Amino acid sequence: MFYRENGQFKTSYRADQQIFPIAQDRWAILALIAFAFVGVPMLADEYLFRAILIPFLILALAALGVNILVGYCGQISLGSGAFMAVGAYMAYNTYIRIDGMPLIVALLAGGFFATLVGMFFGIPSLRVKGLYLAVATLAAQFFCDWAFLRIGWFTNNNASGSVSVSNLQVFGMAIDTPLEKYLFCLAFLVVFALLAKNLVRSAIGREWMAIRDMDVAAAVIGIRPMYAKLSAFAVSSFIIGVAGGLWGFVHLGSWEPAAFSIDRSFQLLFMVIIGGMGSIMGSFFGAAFIVLLPIFIERISLLVGLSTAAAAHMTFMVFGALIVWFLIVEPHGLAKLWSIGKQKLRLWPFPH
């Protein structure tokens, strides 16, 4: 009764095409964003910022990029960790080699170079798809791991092979405390989520979905497969590259190539599959599931008296079992469950 479209009439095309056509959705999203910017800083402690909230925000941004490529365009990718690494290392080199380089511009520059790499490794998508494309993008992961480990220029010829950044500033304001880092990452996520939501609703977004559903039929009706696929790789790699820069600069501070290994690629892919492919909201659900569930399982295992090693093994076992269970029960991900719940709310308390 409180979540219905009754009486919400549209009197213009602009009103009919808005992102959230139901007023309750608009107010809920605005309240959620306001709580994230105002309420969370008042309630969360340092551990919550460092261990949960900041990783969640950055991984949700990366999952957003993966979802555009995998969920909306249907192109399987196992090179997401590589694109994050390109974004982090190129943002680092841009930041230290150009005097006075603003932090935000350096992060966006990292995303730009990740776009170039993503488009290059996306070229095989013009000829192959499915598992063959997954193997082609996997090559990006292995190549980037080798390049950042063996080519000294990327690490500023550091003998240890690791890089670090400090004294981050934005518009003259320091980004040092966990709260400041949280707000910085949150601002990036809100902006990119809004842009992604509008992008998938635009003409190029419809082209991506047409290619995903049936690329031959899409080509017949005039959609250019090369433009659609490479643009999906470009946009996806850019967002993932920016997320990689945030992961290195804000979350880690000091990192080496192992921080962006193939495990990271699989982690991001699992986020999209569990959260829901082809859903912006699913990227947030998947990131929350991947970040929070292992911590929750480990805490429960320790409470019941298991050793630290046994708790770690139990985390992997239960985590894997839950992933399989979710894929069997709801293959469309948590976003589908959310959609079903909203539909039931529209009918409550008078279900048909």
Side-chain angles (χ1 to χ4, degrees):
M1 135 179 254
F2 298 106
Y3 187 70
R4 295 197 172 187
E5 297 179 72
N6 293 4
Q8 301 185 32
F9 303 110
K10 310 296 187 298
T11 57
S12 65
Y13 285 112
R14 181 176 181 180
D16 189 52
Q17 295 177 354
Q18 55 192 341
I19 298 178
F20 301 106
I22 303 178
Q24 291 90 326
D25 285 340
R26 291 196 297 274
W27 287 111
I29 292 296
L30 289 175
L32 183 62
I33 294 175
F35 178 75
F37 275 103
V38 180
V40 172
M42 297 173 61
L43 300 174
D45 57 9
E46 183 175 349
Y47 169 78
L48 198 62
F49 283 125
R50 291 185 181 276
I52 297 177
L53 292 176
I54 293 176
F56 162 72
L57 294 176
I58 300 174
L59 291 177
L61 180 60
L64 198 65
V66 177
N67 214 339
I68 286 178
L69 181 62
V70 179
Y72 283 97
C73 196
Q75 308 301 303
I76 301 297
S77 173
L78 293 177
S80 307
F83 303 146
M84 284 187 73
V86 172
Y89 277 98
M90 294 311 298
Y92 167 76
N93 280 278
T94 305
Y95 189 67
I96 66 168
R97 295 180 188 277
I98 302 178
D99 293 334
M101 171 60 66
L103 175 61
I104 295 178
V105 177
L107 294 172
L108 296 179
F112 169 75
F113 286 106
T115 299
L116 299 181
V117 175
M119 291 181 66
F120 175 77
F121 284 99
I123 291 176
S125 68
L126 305 179
R127 302 297 259 174
V128 298
K129 57 184 177 180
L131 293 177
Y132 299 99
L133 179 59
V135 173
T137 55
L138 190 61
Q141 184 69 53
F142 294 138
F143 176 78
C144 290
D145 284 347
W146 172 86
F148 296 131
L149 191 62
R150 301 297 180 185
I151 301 177
W153 183 86
F154 291 114
T155 59
N156 199 24
N157 296 309
N158 192 328
S160 66
S162 62
V163 298
S164 61
V165 291
S166 59
N167 301 323
L168 302 179
Q169 291 187 349
V170 176
F171 304 120
M173 298 179 292
I175 307 293
D176 290 329
T177 66
L179 173 59
E180 293 165 346
K181 293 179 179 180
Y182 164 79
L183 293 174
F184 183 64
C185 294
L186 180 61
F188 263 92
L189 180 60
V190 170
V191 171
F192 275 94
L194 182 62
L195 292 176
K197 184 65 175 178
N198 279 283
L199 195 60
V200 298
R201 296 167 65 245
S202 66
I204 184 62
R206 291 191 289 272
E207 290 184 6
W208 292 342
M209 288 182 275
I211 291 292
R212 174 196 64 191
D213 295 337
M214 187 174 291
D215 53 353
V216 176
V220 168
I221 63 175
I223 294 174
R224 295 170 292 172
M226 182 180 73
Y227 172 75
K229 291 181 179 180
L230 290 185
S231 63
F233 267 97
V235 174
S236 171
S237 302
F238 178 79
I239 296 176
I240 296 172
V242 173
L246 288 172
W247 189 261
F249 277 60
V250 179
H251 179 54
L252 298 179
S254 176
W255 71 94
E256 55 187 13
F260 304 100
S261 64
I262 191 173
D263 292 340
R264 186 71 61 201
S265 298
F266 282 113
Q267 184 186 44
L268 294 175
L269 186 61
F270 290 156
M271 286 181 188
V272 172
I273 294 174
I274 294 171
M277 291 193 292
S279 168
I280 298 297
M281 187 66 72
S283 303
F284 295 92
F285 288 147
F289 185 90
I290 296 292
V291 171
L292 295 177
L293 188 65
I295 298 175
F296 177 76
I297 296 174
E298 186 175 355
R299 290 295 179 90
I300 295 296
S301 301
L302 292 174
L303 285 177
V304 298
L306 295 178
S307 64
T308 305
H313 292 302
M314 183 61 67
T315 300
F316 283 113
M317 293 169 59
V318 177
F319 185 63
L322 283 175
I323 289 177
V324 175
W325 183 80
F326 265 109
L327 291 177
I328 294 173
V329 174
E330 184 48 77
H332 296 290
L334 297 173
K336 182 64 174 180
L337 296 177
W338 173 255
S339 177
I340 294 173
K342 288 175 62 178
Q343 189 65 32
K344 290 183 180 298
L345 278 177
R346 292 188 185 187
L347 301 176
W348 184 85
F350 307 109
H352 297 291

